[in-house]
Amino acid sequence: MRTWLELPPATDFPLENLPYGIFAPPGKRARVGVAIGQWVLDLKRLAKQGLFNDLKIDGRVFAKPSLNAFIGLGRAAHQAVRARLQEFLTSPPAKIAKRGRDLLLEQSQVQLFLPVKIGDYTDFYSSLEHATNVGKMFRGEANALLPNWKHLPVAYHGRSSSIVVSGTPLARPWGQTSPGEQAAPSFGPSRAVDFELEVAFIIGKENPLGQPVPAAEAEDYVFGFVLFNDWSARDLQKWEYQPLGPFLGKNFGSTISPWVVTLDALAPFRTTGPGQDPPVLPYLQTAGPRTFDLELSVAIQAAQGPATVVCRSNFKHLYWNISQQIAHHTVNGCNLKIGDLLASGTISGPEPTSFGSLQELTWGGKNPLTLANGSQRRFLEDGDTVILNGWAEKDGLRIGFGPASGQLLPARPQPA
Ligand code: MN
């Protein structure tokens, strides 16, 4: 399968990827597009040309400012559109071929938006290495892992309103921090802003309230994946989190990559996750390759100087797979909605260079990192840009996500 487009050899977006996003051409309204090489293909206009007419798909879903309506058409429609797009990009019908180039815009010339209207957001805690690292720092070696951790995929309900698309800056948050030896807690800008390297998936099918999703069917409920940076203010988090969990240390912002990579695109990269011991309860048991071999990296770029890669990890390290996460999330009857976002939790691997947060990479600030410009980091500084990348690569095929990046701005003045 070869496209008539000339694609750069190492592109994240070959013909086999075709991730969906929301973009606006200069001066026009937001609509659905697909990334191919350095371009975005305008599906709103392609639908108007009649490319999907015989597929019984309402072309108006491509004129919406979110993917939700398209996602709601279901897996069969997604696969039919994917096949039709691959056909168009290899051997287009003659009358459309002449206009093919007009339907492509340079990604650098368009504005990208959040790809979905996100409903509920859940953040798991599914990396054994991450949970162990954090446990060691907070509770010591002996009690690093809490007793429930290997029996259920731990998670909390987060907040979706502050999830932003790559390229959106965030200000350093204000908040309370522990009194320590003082009489009262202090209040000020966080001094421990961190990133969390995560991958999130978007729900593509709904289960009715009261009807759990069996683990074996769980992947039918997944539309696709994005990269996810769960920015975290560790000092705020440490003071506030007991007994109910994360709150203001997390909800000041999270960054996602703009293109949703489908399960179909990732199919060649299926793999099995780590063995689970002790065995999990029957409702959490899965068989076969239920996870994906996705390389992940994090770079920090200071206001001055080049980007420095500070972490390399892999999605396949996660102890709990997405089928188990969905089965657990719904086992009590909780209903998932189209556009919900379920994030993995920080993805740390076994090597110290694969730890997915600064908290772990610097071991609570004890071992600072040195960036390419010579400056040191315990936590993020004003002006730092954090850049997540993710890709799968095998036998000359590369399926990438495009970056999820965001800059940390100085704290805003507080209203008096
Ligand atoms: Mn997280």
Side-chain angles (χ1 to χ4, degrees), residues 129-172:
E129 291 81 358
H130 172 68
T132 306
N133 287 338
V134 173
K136 279 183 192 168
M137 277 184 263
F138 281 61
R139 287 182 298 275
E141 193 93 30
N143 304 307
L145 217 53
L146 290 166
N148 60 1
W149 200 90
K150 285 189 167 180
H151 296 281
L152 56 86
V154 169
Y156 71 97
H157 282 126
R159 185 155 182 90
S160 56
S161 64
S162 52
I163 299 177
V164 296
V165 73
S166 178
T168 310
L170 291 166
R172 179 180 295 274

mmCIF file of all heavy atoms in Angstrom, residues 129-172:
data_model
loop_
_atom_site.group_PDB
_atom_site.id
_atom_site.type_symbol
_atom_site.label_atom_id
_atom_site.label_comp_id
_atom_site.label_asym_id
_atom_site.label_seq_id
_atom_site.Cartn_x
_atom_site.Cartn_y
_atom_site.Cartn_z
ATOM 1 N N GLU A 129 6.015 -0.284 38.984
ATOM 2 C CA GLU A 129 7.266 0.401 39.302
ATOM 3 C C GLU A 129 6.994 1.782 39.898
ATOM 4 O O GLU A 129 7.626 2.194 40.869
ATOM 5 C CB GLU A 129 8.148 0.527 38.047
ATOM 6 C CG GLU A 129 8.703 -0.803 37.547
ATOM 7 C CD GLU A 129 7.717 -1.618 36.696
ATOM 8 O OE1 GLU A 129 6.555 -1.182 36.509
ATOM 9 O OE2 GLU A 129 8.112 -2.706 36.220
ATOM 10 N N HIS A 130 6.014 2.507 39.310
ATOM 11 C CA HIS A 130 5.677 3.839 39.823
ATOM 12 C C HIS A 130 5.096 3.744 41.230
ATOM 13 O O HIS A 130 5.518 4.468 42.139
ATOM 14 C CB HIS A 130 4.686 4.537 38.883
ATOM 15 C CG HIS A 130 4.150 5.833 39.421
ATOM 16 N ND1 HIS A 130 4.941 6.948 39.577
ATOM 17 C CD2 HIS A 130 2.907 6.172 39.854
ATOM 18 C CE1 HIS A 130 4.197 7.933 40.081
ATOM 19 N NE2 HIS A 130 2.956 7.490 40.254
ATOM 20 N N ALA A 131 4.132 2.843 41.410
ATOM 21 C CA ALA A 131 3.495 2.721 42.733
ATOM 22 C C ALA A 131 4.532 2.317 43.781
ATOM 23 O O ALA A 131 4.498 2.800 44.923
ATOM 24 C CB ALA A 131 2.363 1.706 42.666
ATOM 25 N N THR A 132 5.459 1.455 43.392
ATOM 26 C CA THR A 132 6.499 1.020 44.323
ATOM 27 C C THR A 132 7.456 2.172 44.654
ATOM 28 O O THR A 132 7.793 2.403 45.824
ATOM 29 C CB THR A 132 7.288 -0.166 43.731
ATOM 30 O OG1 THR A 132 6.363 -1.181 43.355
ATOM 31 C CG2 THR A 132 8.282 -0.731 44.729
ATOM 32 N N ASN A 133 7.860 2.918 43.618
ATOM 33 C CA ASN A 133 8.769 4.051 43.856
ATOM 34 C C ASN A 133 8.151 5.072 44.808
ATOM 35 O O ASN A 133 8.782 5.518 45.768
ATOM 36 C CB ASN A 133 9.110 4.752 42.532
ATOM 37 C CG ASN A 133 10.071 3.932 41.671
ATOM 38 O OD1 ASN A 133 10.793 3.068 42.178
ATOM 39 N ND2 ASN A 133 10.070 4.202 40.374
ATOM 40 N N VAL A 134 6.885 5.450 44.507
ATOM 41 C CA VAL A 134 6.218 6.453 45.340
ATOM 42 C C VAL A 134 6.023 5.913 46.756
ATOM 43 O O VAL A 134 6.250 6.622 47.744
ATOM 44 C CB VAL A 134 4.869 6.874 44.705
ATOM 45 C CG1 VAL A 134 4.091 7.780 45.637
ATOM 46 C CG2 VAL A 134 5.111 7.554 43.364
ATOM 47 N N GLY A 135 5.642 4.629 46.856
ATOM 48 C CA GLY A 135 5.450 4.005 48.161
ATOM 49 C C GLY A 135 6.728 4.011 48.989
ATOM 50 O O GLY A 135 6.700 4.290 50.191
ATOM 51 N N LYS A 136 7.851 3.722 48.338
ATOM 52 C CA LYS A 136 9.136 3.732 49.049
ATOM 53 C C LYS A 136 9.435 5.121 49.602
ATOM 54 O O LYS A 136 9.886 5.269 50.729
ATOM 55 C CB LYS A 136 10.275 3.334 48.098
ATOM 56 C CG LYS A 136 10.425 1.838 47.885
ATOM 57 C CD LYS A 136 11.637 1.595 46.981
ATOM 58 C CE LYS A 136 11.669 0.166 46.481
ATOM 59 N NZ LYS A 136 12.662 -0.004 45.402
ATOM 60 N N MET A 137 9.175 6.136 48.788
ATOM 61 C CA MET A 137 9.485 7.501 49.230
ATOM 62 C C MET A 137 8.566 7.945 50.364
ATOM 63 O O MET A 137 8.994 8.653 51.261
ATOM 64 C CB MET A 137 9.369 8.473 48.056
ATOM 65 C CG MET A 137 10.619 8.520 47.196
ATOM 66 S SD MET A 137 10.476 9.750 45.889
ATOM 67 C CE MET A 137 9.974 8.740 44.521
ATOM 68 N N PHE A 138 7.277 7.549 50.296
ATOM 69 C CA PHE A 138 6.307 8.031 51.288
ATOM 70 C C PHE A 138 6.225 7.139 52.522
ATOM 71 O O PHE A 138 5.957 7.634 53.612
ATOM 72 C CB PHE A 138 4.907 8.163 50.659
ATOM 73 C CG PHE A 138 4.741 9.417 49.836
ATOM 74 C CD1 PHE A 138 5.535 9.656 48.726
ATOM 75 C CD2 PHE A 138 3.784 10.356 50.175
ATOM 76 C CE1 PHE A 138 5.386 10.815 47.964
ATOM 77 C CE2 PHE A 138 3.635 11.528 49.416
ATOM 78 C CZ PHE A 138 4.427 11.752 48.322
ATOM 79 N N ARG A 139 6.420 5.830 52.360
ATOM 80 C CA ARG A 139 6.158 4.920 53.472
ATOM 81 C C ARG A 139 7.337 4.009 53.803
ATOM 82 O O ARG A 139 7.260 3.218 54.741
ATOM 83 C CB ARG A 139 4.948 4.029 53.150
ATOM 84 C CG ARG A 139 3.611 4.731 53.198
ATOM 85 C CD ARG A 139 2.485 3.763 52.926
ATOM 86 N NE ARG A 139 2.607 3.186 51.593
ATOM 87 C CZ ARG A 139 2.144 3.776 50.494
ATOM 88 N NH1 ARG A 139 1.524 4.926 50.562
ATOM 89 N NH2 ARG A 139 2.308 3.217 49.324
ATOM 90 N N GLY A 140 8.404 4.083 53.009
ATOM 91 C CA GLY A 140 9.560 3.228 53.257
ATOM 92 C C GLY A 140 9.453 1.891 52.540
ATOM 93 O O GLY A 140 8.371 1.478 52.113
ATOM 94 N N GLU A 141 10.589 1.247 52.408
ATOM 95 C CA GLU A 141 10.739 0.020 51.617
ATOM 96 C C GLU A 141 9.732 -1.075 52.011
ATOM 97 O O GLU A 141 9.129 -1.719 51.168
ATOM 98 C CB GLU A 141 12.167 -0.509 51.818
ATOM 99 C CG GLU A 141 12.614 -1.582 50.864
ATOM 100 C CD GLU A 141 13.336 -0.998 49.649
ATOM 101 O OE1 GLU A 141 13.970 0.071 49.765
ATOM 102 O OE2 GLU A 141 13.255 -1.627 48.589
ATOM 103 N N ALA A 142 9.528 -1.246 53.324
ATOM 104 C CA ALA A 142 8.743 -2.389 53.820
ATOM 105 C C ALA A 142 7.267 -2.311 53.403
ATOM 106 O O ALA A 142 6.658 -3.328 53.101
ATOM 107 C CB ALA A 142 8.853 -2.481 55.330
ATOM 108 N N ASN A 143 6.698 -1.106 53.406
ATOM 109 C CA ASN A 143 5.277 -0.954 53.092
ATOM 110 C C ASN A 143 5.068 -0.228 51.770
ATOM 111 O O ASN A 143 4.084 0.497 51.606
ATOM 112 C CB ASN A 143 4.570 -0.170 54.206
ATOM 113 C CG ASN A 143 4.771 -0.813 55.552
ATOM 114 O OD1 ASN A 143 4.511 -2.004 55.709
ATOM 115 N ND2 ASN A 143 5.265 -0.054 56.519
ATOM 116 N N ALA A 144 5.992 -0.408 50.839
ATOM 117 C CA ALA A 144 5.939 0.379 49.600
ATOM 118 C C ALA A 144 4.601 0.188 48.873
ATOM 119 O O ALA A 144 3.956 1.160 48.496
ATOM 120 C CB ALA A 144 7.104 0.014 48.690
ATOM 121 N N LEU A 145 4.194 -1.055 48.694
ATOM 122 C CA LEU A 145 2.969 -1.327 47.948
ATOM 123 C C LEU A 145 1.833 -1.588 48.935
ATOM 124 O O LEU A 145 1.955 -2.434 49.813
ATOM 125 C CB LEU A 145 3.204 -2.565 47.078
ATOM 126 C CG LEU A 145 2.570 -2.602 45.684
ATOM 127 C CD1 LEU A 145 2.929 -1.362 44.878
ATOM 128 C CD2 LEU A 145 2.997 -3.869 44.953
ATOM 129 N N LEU A 146 0.723 -0.870 48.790
ATOM 130 C CA LEU A 146 -0.418 -1.085 49.692
ATOM 131 C C LEU A 146 -1.074 -2.434 49.384
ATOM 132 O O LEU A 146 -0.961 -2.945 48.276
ATOM 133 C CB LEU A 146 -1.400 0.083 49.565
ATOM 134 C CG LEU A 146 -0.863 1.403 50.153
ATOM 135 C CD1 LEU A 146 -1.695 2.596 49.710
ATOM 136 C CD2 LEU A 146 -0.780 1.338 51.667
ATOM 137 N N PRO A 147 -1.776 -3.005 50.373
ATOM 138 C CA PRO A 147 -2.268 -4.392 50.232
ATOM 139 C C PRO A 147 -3.237 -4.608 49.078
ATOM 140 O O PRO A 147 -3.360 -5.716 48.562
ATOM 141 C CB PRO A 147 -2.977 -4.665 51.571
ATOM 142 C CG PRO A 147 -2.621 -3.562 52.474
ATOM 143 C CD PRO A 147 -2.067 -2.429 51.691
ATOM 144 N N ASN A 148 -3.952 -3.563 48.660
ATOM 145 C CA ASN A 148 -4.945 -3.751 47.584
ATOM 146 C C ASN A 148 -4.322 -3.766 46.190
ATOM 147 O O ASN A 148 -4.955 -4.197 45.224
ATOM 148 C CB ASN A 148 -6.004 -2.640 47.662
ATOM 149 C CG ASN A 148 -5.413 -1.239 47.499
ATOM 150 O OD1 ASN A 148 -4.212 -1.077 47.305
ATOM 151 N ND2 ASN A 148 -6.252 -0.235 47.603
ATOM 152 N N TRP A 149 -3.081 -3.259 46.059
ATOM 153 C CA TRP A 149 -2.587 -2.842 44.750
ATOM 154 C C TRP A 149 -2.555 -3.953 43.692
ATOM 155 O O TRP A 149 -2.890 -3.731 42.535
ATOM 156 C CB TRP A 149 -1.187 -2.192 44.878
ATOM 157 C CG TRP A 149 -0.899 -1.343 43.675
ATOM 158 C CD1 TRP A 149 -1.175 -0.019 43.514
ATOM 159 C CD2 TRP A 149 -0.347 -1.791 42.436
ATOM 160 N NE1 TRP A 149 -0.838 0.388 42.252
ATOM 161 C CE2 TRP A 149 -0.324 -0.672 41.568
ATOM 162 C CE3 TRP A 149 0.130 -3.009 41.955
ATOM 163 C CZ2 TRP A 149 0.157 -0.732 40.258
ATOM 164 C CZ3 TRP A 149 0.608 -3.080 40.643
ATOM 165 C CH2 TRP A 149 0.620 -1.955 39.818
ATOM 166 N N LYS A 150 -2.174 -5.153 44.070
ATOM 167 C CA LYS A 150 -2.099 -6.250 43.087
ATOM 168 C C LYS A 150 -3.430 -6.972 42.891
ATOM 169 O O LYS A 150 -3.520 -7.933 42.133
ATOM 170 C CB LYS A 150 -0.995 -7.244 43.468
ATOM 171 C CG LYS A 150 0.404 -6.693 43.180
ATOM 172 C CD LYS A 150 1.464 -7.762 43.346
ATOM 173 C CE LYS A 150 2.781 -7.297 42.749
ATOM 174 N NZ LYS A 150 3.832 -8.321 42.909
ATOM 175 N N HIS A 151 -4.472 -6.500 43.590
ATOM 176 C CA HIS A 151 -5.788 -7.145 43.469
ATOM 177 C C HIS A 151 -6.783 -6.337 42.650
ATOM 178 O O HIS A 151 -7.785 -6.862 42.185
ATOM 179 C CB HIS A 151 -6.362 -7.430 44.859
ATOM 180 C CG HIS A 151 -5.532 -8.415 45.629
ATOM 181 N ND1 HIS A 151 -5.595 -9.773 45.402
ATOM 182 C CD2 HIS A 151 -4.569 -8.231 46.567
ATOM 183 C CE1 HIS A 151 -4.722 -10.389 46.191
ATOM 184 N NE2 HIS A 151 -4.092 -9.470 46.903
ATOM 185 N N LEU A 152 -6.521 -5.056 42.494
ATOM 186 C CA LEU A 152 -7.425 -4.220 41.689
ATOM 187 C C LEU A 152 -6.655 -3.043 41.120
ATOM 188 O O LEU A 152 -5.696 -2.559 41.722
ATOM 189 C CB LEU A 152 -8.620 -3.747 42.534
ATOM 190 C CG LEU A 152 -8.372 -2.992 43.838
ATOM 191 C CD1 LEU A 152 -8.191 -1.498 43.616
ATOM 192 C CD2 LEU A 152 -9.550 -3.207 44.791
ATOM 193 N N PRO A 153 -7.048 -2.590 39.909
ATOM 194 C CA PRO A 153 -6.397 -1.406 39.350
ATOM 195 C C PRO A 153 -6.876 -0.138 40.066
ATOM 196 O O PRO A 153 -7.983 0.335 39.837
ATOM 197 C CB PRO A 153 -6.812 -1.403 37.868
ATOM 198 C CG PRO A 153 -7.922 -2.393 37.728
ATOM 199 C CD PRO A 153 -8.037 -3.189 38.985
ATOM 200 N N VAL A 154 -6.042 0.364 40.967
ATOM 201 C CA VAL A 154 -6.362 1.558 41.765
ATOM 202 C C VAL A 154 -6.540 2.769 40.852
ATOM 203 O O VAL A 154 -5.805 2.927 39.869
ATOM 204 C CB VAL A 154 -5.225 1.820 42.784
ATOM 205 C CG1 VAL A 154 -5.373 3.179 43.447
ATOM 206 C CG2 VAL A 154 -5.187 0.705 43.827
ATOM 207 N N ALA A 155 -7.521 3.606 41.166
ATOM 208 C CA ALA A 155 -7.764 4.813 40.367
ATOM 209 C C ALA A 155 -8.485 5.866 41.197
ATOM 210 O O ALA A 155 -8.971 5.560 42.292
ATOM 211 C CB ALA A 155 -8.614 4.475 39.141
ATOM 212 N N TYR A 156 -8.541 7.084 40.681
ATOM 213 C CA TYR A 156 -9.396 8.122 41.277
ATOM 214 C C TYR A 156 -10.103 8.848 40.143
ATOM 215 O O TYR A 156 -9.645 8.836 38.999
ATOM 216 C CB TYR A 156 -8.592 9.100 42.145
ATOM 217 C CG TYR A 156 -7.694 10.035 41.360
ATOM 218 C CD1 TYR A 156 -8.111 11.328 41.035
ATOM 219 C CD2 TYR A 156 -6.433 9.638 40.945
ATOM 220 C CE1 TYR A 156 -7.283 12.181 40.313
ATOM 221 C CE2 TYR A 156 -5.605 10.480 40.224
ATOM 222 C CZ TYR A 156 -6.037 11.758 39.916
ATOM 223 O OH TYR A 156 -5.227 12.591 39.189
ATOM 224 N N HIS A 157 -11.235 9.472 40.477
ATOM 225 C CA HIS A 157 -11.938 10.291 39.494
ATOM 226 C C HIS A 157 -11.337 11.685 39.471
ATOM 227 O O HIS A 157 -11.267 12.358 40.496
ATOM 228 C CB HIS A 157 -13.431 10.374 39.838
ATOM 229 C CG HIS A 157 -14.181 9.142 39.452
ATOM 230 N ND1 HIS A 157 -14.952 8.435 40.326
ATOM 231 C CD2 HIS A 157 -14.259 8.484 38.276
ATOM 232 C CE1 HIS A 157 -15.493 7.395 39.697
ATOM 233 N NE2 HIS A 157 -15.072 7.397 38.458
ATOM 234 N N GLY A 158 -10.893 12.102 38.298
ATOM 235 C CA GLY A 158 -10.266 13.412 38.161
ATOM 236 C C GLY A 158 -11.253 14.431 37.617
ATOM 237 O O GLY A 158 -12.470 14.246 37.681
ATOM 238 N N ARG A 159 -10.704 15.491 37.077
ATOM 239 C CA ARG A 159 -11.535 16.575 36.567
ATOM 240 C C ARG A 159 -11.202 16.822 35.102
ATOM 241 O O ARG A 159 -10.049 16.953 34.739
ATOM 242 C CB ARG A 159 -11.270 17.837 37.383
ATOM 243 C CG ARG A 159 -12.190 18.937 36.982
ATOM 244 C CD ARG A 159 -12.419 19.970 38.050
ATOM 245 N NE ARG A 159 -13.373 20.925 37.509
ATOM 246 C CZ ARG A 159 -14.692 20.794 37.657
ATOM 247 N NH1 ARG A 159 -15.179 19.803 38.355
ATOM 248 N NH2 ARG A 159 -15.502 21.671 37.101
ATOM 249 N N SER A 160 -12.253 16.881 34.247
ATOM 250 C CA SER A 160 -11.999 17.001 32.812
ATOM 251 C C SER A 160 -11.911 18.445 32.334
ATOM 252 O O SER A 160 -11.347 18.709 31.279
ATOM 253 C CB SER A 160 -13.089 16.269 32.027
ATOM 254 O OG SER A 160 -14.353 16.769 32.398
ATOM 255 N N SER A 161 -12.446 19.399 33.106
ATOM 256 C CA SER A 161 -12.540 20.784 32.607
ATOM 257 C C SER A 161 -11.180 21.403 32.308
ATOM 258 O O SER A 161 -11.067 22.295 31.475
ATOM 259 C CB SER A 161 -13.285 21.660 33.613
ATOM 260 O OG SER A 161 -12.556 21.758 34.827
ATOM 261 N N SER A 162 -10.135 20.928 32.989
ATOM 262 C CA SER A 162 -8.819 21.547 32.813
ATOM 263 C C SER A 162 -7.888 20.694 31.950
ATOM 264 O O SER A 162 -6.682 20.920 31.933
ATOM 265 C CB SER A 162 -8.189 21.815 34.189
ATOM 266 O OG SER A 162 -8.210 20.638 34.979
ATOM 267 N N ILE A 163 -8.435 19.747 31.204
ATOM 268 C CA ILE A 163 -7.610 18.995 30.242
ATOM 269 C C ILE A 163 -7.481 19.851 28.988
ATOM 270 O O ILE A 163 -8.484 20.318 28.433
ATOM 271 C CB ILE A 163 -8.226 17.624 29.922
ATOM 272 C CG1 ILE A 163 -8.313 16.775 31.211
ATOM 273 C CG2 ILE A 163 -7.401 16.899 28.861
ATOM 274 C CD1 ILE A 163 -8.984 15.422 31.027
ATOM 275 N N VAL A 164 -6.239 20.087 28.565
ATOM 276 C CA VAL A 164 -5.984 20.996 27.444
ATOM 277 C C VAL A 164 -5.208 20.267 26.345
ATOM 278 O O VAL A 164 -4.561 19.244 26.591
ATOM 279 C CB VAL A 164 -5.201 22.251 27.895
ATOM 280 C CG1 VAL A 164 -6.019 23.066 28.882
ATOM 281 C CG2 VAL A 164 -3.847 21.876 28.495
ATOM 282 N N VAL A 165 -5.282 20.820 25.136
ATOM 283 C CA VAL A 165 -4.573 20.203 24.022
ATOM 284 C C VAL A 165 -3.115 20.671 24.012
ATOM 285 O O VAL A 165 -2.799 21.772 24.505
ATOM 286 C CB VAL A 165 -5.287 20.512 22.687
ATOM 287 C CG1 VAL A 165 -5.087 21.971 22.277
ATOM 288 C CG2 VAL A 165 -4.827 19.558 21.583
ATOM 289 N N SER A 166 -2.262 19.840 23.469
ATOM 290 C CA SER A 166 -0.842 20.149 23.315
ATOM 291 C C SER A 166 -0.646 21.567 22.798
ATOM 292 O O SER A 166 -1.349 22.013 21.898
ATOM 293 C CB SER A 166 -0.236 19.158 22.322
ATOM 294 O OG SER A 166 1.123 19.449 22.101
ATOM 295 N N GLY A 167 0.320 22.282 23.388
ATOM 296 C CA GLY A 167 0.600 23.650 22.963
ATOM 297 C C GLY A 167 -0.028 24.699 23.863
ATOM 298 O O GLY A 167 0.302 25.880 23.755
ATOM 299 N N THR A 168 -0.912 24.269 24.771
ATOM 300 C CA THR A 168 -1.568 25.217 25.686
ATOM 301 C C THR A 168 -0.698 25.398 26.921
ATOM 302 O O THR A 168 -0.398 24.423 27.615
ATOM 303 C CB THR A 168 -2.942 24.661 26.141
ATOM 304 O OG1 THR A 168 -3.678 24.255 24.989
ATOM 305 C CG2 THR A 168 -3.714 25.687 26.947
ATOM 306 N N PRO A 169 -0.257 26.631 27.228
ATOM 307 C CA PRO A 169 0.551 26.821 28.438
ATOM 308 C C PRO A 169 -0.299 26.756 29.701
ATOM 309 O O PRO A 169 -1.507 26.991 29.660
ATOM 310 C CB PRO A 169 1.147 28.220 28.259
ATOM 311 C CG PRO A 169 0.281 28.908 27.268
ATOM 312 C CD PRO A 169 -0.479 27.873 26.483
ATOM 313 N N LEU A 170 0.334 26.421 30.811
ATOM 314 C CA LEU A 170 -0.348 26.369 32.114
ATOM 315 C C LEU A 170 0.475 27.182 33.110
ATOM 316 O O LEU A 170 1.706 27.174 33.061
ATOM 317 C CB LEU A 170 -0.456 24.930 32.607
ATOM 318 C CG LEU A 170 -1.404 24.017 31.820
ATOM 319 C CD1 LEU A 170 -1.162 22.561 32.183
ATOM 320 C CD2 LEU A 170 -2.863 24.405 32.080
ATOM 321 N N ALA A 171 -0.227 27.870 34.020
ATOM 322 C CA ALA A 171 0.480 28.662 35.032
ATOM 323 C C ALA A 171 0.772 27.814 36.264
ATOM 324 O O ALA A 171 -0.024 26.946 36.632
ATOM 325 C CB ALA A 171 -0.361 29.875 35.425
ATOM 326 N N ARG A 172 1.885 28.091 36.872
ATOM 327 C CA ARG A 172 2.238 27.422 38.137
ATOM 328 C C ARG A 172 1.107 27.652 39.148
ATOM 329 O O ARG A 172 0.686 28.785 39.356
ATOM 330 C CB ARG A 172 3.546 28.034 38.652
ATOM 331 C CG ARG A 172 4.057 27.491 39.974
ATOM 332 C CD ARG A 172 5.356 28.183 40.373
ATOM 333 N NE ARG A 172 6.425 27.879 39.424
ATOM 334 C CZ ARG A 172 7.217 26.801 39.486
ATOM 335 N NH1 ARG A 172 7.093 25.940 40.484
ATOM 336 N NH2 ARG A 172 8.159 26.607 38.582
#
